[in-house]
Amino acid sequence: MKRLIILSTIFTTFLSCSVKEKPEFLGVENIHVTDSNSKQIIVSANALFLNPNVIGGSLETDEIKIYVNDNEMGKVSAERFDVPAEKEFAIPLRAEIPTDSIFSDKSLSGLLGSLFSRKIKVQYKGDITYRVFGFSYTYTLDKTEDIKIK
C-alpha cells in the first residue's frame, strides 16, 4: 500500500511538472497551390505550434473545411500527428478541391472576380485537438489568406 501511495505521488508530480500548459497555436502559414489538373486543385498549408512541455502528445484535425472565395470547397486531410516535446513544429494540411465545385453556379462569380484581380481568397475553418494522458484541448482554426494566381 505504501508503494502505491509513493508511486501515485511521483506520477502526479511528474504529470503536474511535465504538462505545464497546452501547446500554443501560432498560426497558419505557407498556403499555396501544390498541384492542379482538370479534375482537382491541391492546396497545402502548415499549422504552426509551440510545445513548451517536456512531454509530447498528439494532434488530430476534426472537420477542417476549406473555403475558396467564401464558398465551401472541401475538407482538409491531415493524419494524426505526434507532438515533439519542447519544440516549435508544423502540421501539414492538405486539401483536394474538385474543379467542378469551383466552376459551379454559386462560385462562378467569385471565380471571375478572382481572375480579374489575379487573387483567390482561401480560408481554413475547423478544430485541431491536442491529446495527452487522457486530457484534450481544442484549438479553433480560422485563417484566411489571399493567394496570387500565376
Side-chain angles (χ1 to χ4, degrees):
M1 183 70 172
K2 197 174 193 180
R3 283 188 192 167
L4 183 61
I5 293 172
I6 293 171
L7 187 60
S8 65
T9 304
I10 291 171
F11 182 73
T12 305
T13 304
F14 175 74
L15 188 61
S16 65
C17 293
S18 301
V19 185
K20 295 182 262 183
E21 55 191 271
K22 65 182 181 177
E24 181 183 351
F25 175 62
L26 302 175
V28 178
E29 71 172 16
N30 201 18
I31 300 174
H32 63 281
V33 176
T34 56
D35 191 21
S36 62
N37 56 45
S38 62
K39 294 185 182 193
Q40 67 183 2
I41 296 172
I42 299 173
V43 178
S44 296
N46 292 324
L48 300 175
F49 289 86
L50 173 63
N51 185 11
N53 303 308
V54 295
I55 58 170
S58 67
L59 284 171
E60 299 171 1
T61 61
D62 185 27
E63 298 290 321
I64 295 177
K65 296 178 182 174
I66 188 166
Y67 295 83
V68 176
N69 292 336
D70 297 320
N71 295 305
E72 185 179 333
M73 295 294 167
K75 293 182 181 175
V76 172
S77 63
E79 298 193 16
R80 184 177 166 260
F81 186 85
D82 291 328
V83 175
E86 298 182 307
K87 278 190 174 179
E88 186 174 312
F89 61 95
I91 299 175
L93 304 174
R94 174 188 156 121
E96 295 178 4
I97 303 168
T99 54
D100 58 352
S101 67
I102 292 175
F103 295 111
S104 70
D105 291 339
K106 70 176 186 177
S107 63
L108 194 55
S109 63
L111 181 64
L112 290 174
S114 293
L115 291 175
F116 289 118
S117 68
R118 314 251 330 137
K119 288 184 182 179
I120 191 168
K121 181 174 137 182
V122 177
Q123 181 179 22
Y124 287 89
K125 282 181 104 171
D127 294 328
I128 297 175
T129 305
Y130 171 67
R131 298 183 195 283
V132 63
F133 294 132
F135 300 104
S136 66
Y137 304 105
T138 301
Y139 302 91
T140 300
L141 179 66
D142 189 356
K143 171 68 175 178
T144 304
E145 190 167 312
D146 291 327
I147 300 175
K148 291 185 179 184
I149 300 172
K150 295 180 181 183

